[in-house]
Amino acid sequence: MASNEPTTAEVEDEIRELLRVEEIGSLAVVGLDGAPLVSTMHFAADGLSVYFHTFTYTRKYAALLQDNRVGYTLEHVPADGFAARTELRALQMSGLATRVTDPTEMDHAIEVSHEQFDFLKEADIFKSFKRTGGAGSQVFFRIDPVEALWNDNRVRIQWRKLVKFDADAKHVAALEPYRDQA
């Protein structure tokens, strides 16, 4: 990306790429007692939405059934750390999580997970996955974006924009100044 201000379309492309390439992030949910719970997760990208896999016996699962508002972060941290900070890119996403119960969408979530994560290509973690929507302890959730903070130090150090999404959460609708919102 050039050092000029990127367009909305360019930021959308960069977010999609980060979601596709980076596989591990942190997911925050509202716990049953109202306190935040944070988990390290694998996120499988499907455009600007992501899927994650969890189990029905977790605190995260119980919390999501009560309140589907979530936040997550993903970032590209250069191998050289601080010395290469001009390559840092980071996404802080707020979204809504929906449990996947449709068998076709479950198959799709498994497919995008296999495509994105090399370690899953030979694993059978989803082999016994129940696609009946209720049986079994493994579940998928889809997170659709609501609002994000995009940080791209390739533009300039600490270049940040608030990202607004269109009504169907398929595209970036607008970029707004971060400092005006803080």
Side-chain angles (χ1 to χ4, degrees):
M1 182 184 296
S3 62
N4 298 333
E5 291 277 323
T7 66
T8 301
E10 289 172 325
V11 168
E12 180 176 320
D13 289 345
E14 290 295 330
I15 291 172
R16 287 176 187 272
E17 179 67 7
L18 183 79
L19 291 171
R20 190 186 65 73
V21 171
E22 298 300 330
E23 65 183 71
I24 298 175
S26 296
L27 173 70
V29 301
V30 180
L32 295 177
D33 63 356
L37 292 173
V38 180
S39 303
T40 301
M41 303 293 302
H42 289 275
F43 294 100
D46 185 23
L48 295 172
S49 295
V50 297
Y51 290 101
F52 70 90
H53 169 259
T54 191
F55 297 90
T56 58
Y57 54 79
T58 64
R59 296 182 307 163
K60 169 178 50 251
Y61 177 78
L64 286 167
L65 294 180
Q66 178 176 291
D67 189 336
N68 72 332
R69 294 173 300 158
V70 299
Y72 70 87
T73 62
L74 282 170
E75 58 276 325
H76 168 74
V77 178
D80 293 339
F82 186 77
R85 64 194 174 280
T86 58
E87 295 300 312
L88 174 80
R89 294 175 301 288
L91 178 67
Q92 298 172 17
M93 183 70 76
S94 295
L96 297 174
T98 303
R99 182 175 173 189
V100 176
T101 57
D102 175 67
T104 301
E105 188 175 8
M106 283 184 207
D107 287 338
H108 179 69
I110 291 169
E111 179 182 321
V112 296
S113 295
H114 282 140
E115 288 172 3
Q116 188 166 343
F117 307 130
D118 285 338
F119 73 91
L120 283 177
K121 287 182 171 83
E122 302 299 322
D124 62 356
I125 188 172
F126 302 130
K127 188 175 186 177
S128 63
F129 200 90
K130 302 290 184 180
R131 293 176 178 84
T132 60
S137 64
Q138 299 182 77
V139 293
F140 270 103
F141 281 87
R142 182 189 67 250
I143 301 174
D144 295 314
V146 172
E147 183 178 85
L149 176 67
W150 175 245
N151 181 152
D152 192 337
N153 283 359
R154 296 170 304 170
V155 177
R156 69 178 167 275
I157 296 294
Q158 294 191 359
W159 184 86
R160 297 176 181 154
K161 293 290 181 180
L162 286 178
V163 180
K164 304 292 183 173
F165 298 91
D166 62 10
D168 67 359
K170 301 286 186 201
H171 297 283
V172 171
L175 302 175
E176 296 180 359
Y178 172 67
R179 292 178 191 241
D180 293 349
Q181 305 292 320

